[in-house]
Amino acid sequence: MSAGGIDPRNGPQLFALLDAAPVPMAVIEGPEHRYSFVNAAYRALPARRTPAVGLRLADCFPDVMDAWGPRLRAIYRDGQADRVREFETRMADGARRFWDVDSAPLHGSDGSVHGILLTAHDVTDKALAREAVADALAEKEDLLKEVNHRIKNSLQLVSSLLTLQALTSKDPDMRRQLQEACGRIGTIAQVHQRLHTAESLQVLSVAPCLRDLCAELGSTMQAAQHGRRIQVQADDAHLSVDTVIPLTLAVNELVSNALKYAYAEGQGGDVEVRFQVLPDGAKRLTVADHGRGLPEGFNPVRTDTLGMRVVRAFAGQLKGKLSAEDNAPGARFVLDLP
């Protein structure tokens, strides 16, 4: 046995103590990683062959060598300890066991590494508990995705019922109000559809939400047929769901108003939607057109139309500041968010 090994003749009491230790321990030496010491707990590990002095590590644990060979050679080369976390083994009865395995270099009198001390710590309970938590979280996310899918379906059903109600109404103003309500419900349904397919249930990417919303608005309000386009520019940003829903609802109102009122009958034009992340981290939503402009004395805080009341309500929910200004020509609405 080399200077790096453990010779029971040099310390029978130490040998007996290590052999009886409840923690699996072994010493491997040489380029073939042969055992020069294995204690009883190590010999009890599930292995192809029972570990014994003189056998190679690969004889007993062939799968280990595929992953550990380069790491063991690095210990001989660099003299630095290593740890493999949660290495999985299978017991004879098929039970899974997990180990943290420490590999410590044993230095000879000349300072070189002559062997490696392997110490295995059973972390099965911790690993299985972590797996159970991960499985529970995955199941919870699946359930929440299903909830969002059902909410989306329910909202679409409500929207369909309102559409039927609008079609049967003889009052043009009532039909318009019901159609606007359908648009708001559709906006919320889109968000829940995105949550159903999103990787995260907590945040959503703003840019695709705005693009999808404006595409739907353009289709529903037949913007192209009237020579009008909705252009969307949005920075790459992720916001909480509680922020995305009122934000998209505000965009729904502002874009709808621009499509309906910014341009004269038969006049084409663009509606521009921009979402920016400012240098200080604040966010800014801008909806602008190049149409007839704002009425004389227009104030978004005091205007009593339903659309502006809705936008103000969502701006307040977002703790944002809403302003309106001349776009020379046209109008520009700005919603600054903290």
Side-chain angles (χ1 to χ4, degrees), residues 214-237:
C214 291
E216 181 68 22
L217 284 172
S219 174
T220 303
M221 303 186 71
Q222 300 180 329
Q225 288 89 323
H226 294 88
R228 295 164 194 171
R229 298 180 304 171
I230 308 173
Q231 298 182 332
V232 179
Q233 288 183 312
D235 292 346
D236 185 18

Side-chain angles (χ1 to χ4, degrees), residues 286-329:
T286 306
V287 177
D289 62 72
H290 302 281
R292 64 185 76 190
L294 296 169
E296 183 78 22
F298 179 87
N299 186 330
V301 177
R302 295 190 177 90
T303 301
D304 203 34
T305 62
L306 177 61
M308 288 311 303
R309 289 206 305 269
V310 169
V311 174
R312 285 201 303 270
F314 292 134
Q317 185 176 335
L318 294 168
K319 296 180 171 56
K321 179 183 178 182
L322 177 67
S323 60
E325 55 195 39
D326 184 59
N327 199 33

Side-chain angles (χ1 to χ4, degrees), residues 38 61 88 99 109 168 204 235:
V38 289
F61 301 99
E88 182 178 352
W99 311 86
S109 57
T168 58
L204 283 174
D235 292 346

Side-chain angles (χ1 to χ4, degrees), residues 69-322:
R71 305 179 74 148
L72 295 174
R73 289 191 291 272
I75 294 174
Y76 277 107
R77 182 184 68 245
D78 303 329
Q80 300 294 320
D82 191 14
R83 165 170 278 200
V84 176
R85 294 189 179 275
E86 295 189 5
F87 177 73
E88 182 178 352
T89 61
R90 292 275 181 173
M91 306 300 287
D93 60 359
R96 302 165 68 205
R97 300 291 291 274
F98 294 84
W99 311 86
D100 282 351
V101 182
D102 289 312
S103 304
L106 298 175
H107 297 274
S109 57
D110 60 356
S112 63
V113 178
H114 286 270
I116 298 174
L117 172 64
L118 304 176
T119 307
H121 308 276
D122 192 341
V123 293
T124 302
D125 290 343
K126 180 177 69 175
L128 292 179
R130 184 181 296 110
E131 282 190 0
V133 170
D135 290 343
L137 288 174
E139 182 179 3
K140 178 183 176 182
E141 287 194 356
D142 288 341
L143 288 173
L144 287 174
K145 286 179 182 292
E146 181 60 26
V147 167
N148 279 298
H149 183 60
R150 295 189 180 191
I151 290 174
K152 185 264 297 184
N153 289 342
S154 297
L155 288 171
Q156 288 182 332
L157 177 60
V158 172
S159 180
S160 297
L161 292 173
L162 287 177
T163 299
L164 289 174
Q165 185 68 36
L167 292 174
T168 58
S169 176
K170 296 181 180 180
D171 184 344
D173 188 57
M174 178 62 69
R175 287 200 300 270
R176 179 184 58 79
Q177 292 182 33
L178 289 171
Q179 288 167 352
E180 290 176 354
C182 288
R184 297 178 185 115
I185 293 171
T187 298
I188 301 173
Q190 276 190 349
V191 173
H192 284 284
Q193 174 60 25
R194 283 204 163 272
L195 285 172
H196 174 60
T197 57
E199 294 183 2
S200 171
L201 294 171
Q202 305 299 321
V203 297
L204 283 174
S205 178
V206 177
C209 288
L210 293 180
R211 285 195 292 266
D212 288 352
L213 169 61
C214 291
E216 181 68 22
L217 284 172
S219 174
T220 303
M221 303 186 71
Q222 300 180 329
Q225 288 89 323
H226 294 88
R228 295 164 194 171
R229 298 180 304 171
I230 308 173
Q231 298 182 332
V232 179
Q233 288 183 312
D235 292 346
D236 185 18
H238 287 76
L239 299 180
S240 71
V241 176
D242 290 340
T243 298
V244 172
I245 290 178
L247 178 67
T248 52
L249 284 167
V251 172
N252 178 79
E253 296 299 326
L254 293 171
V255 172
S256 297
N257 285 344
L259 289 174
K260 287 187 291 188
Y261 305 122
Y263 298 100
E265 184 72 25
Q267 180 186 9
D270 292 344
V271 176
E272 299 161 355
V273 178
R274 188 175 184 188
F275 182 83
Q276 299 169 272
V277 179
L278 303 180
D280 61 358
K283 286 82 177 175
R284 173 172 292 167
L285 169 72
T286 306
V287 177
D289 62 72
H290 302 281
R292 64 185 76 190
L294 296 169
E296 183 78 22
F298 179 87
N299 186 330
V301 177
R302 295 190 177 90
T303 301
D304 203 34
T305 62
L306 177 61
M308 288 311 303
R309 289 206 305 269
V310 169
V311 174
R312 285 201 303 270
F314 292 134
Q317 185 176 335
L318 294 168
K319 296 180 171 56
K321 179 183 178 182
L322 177 67

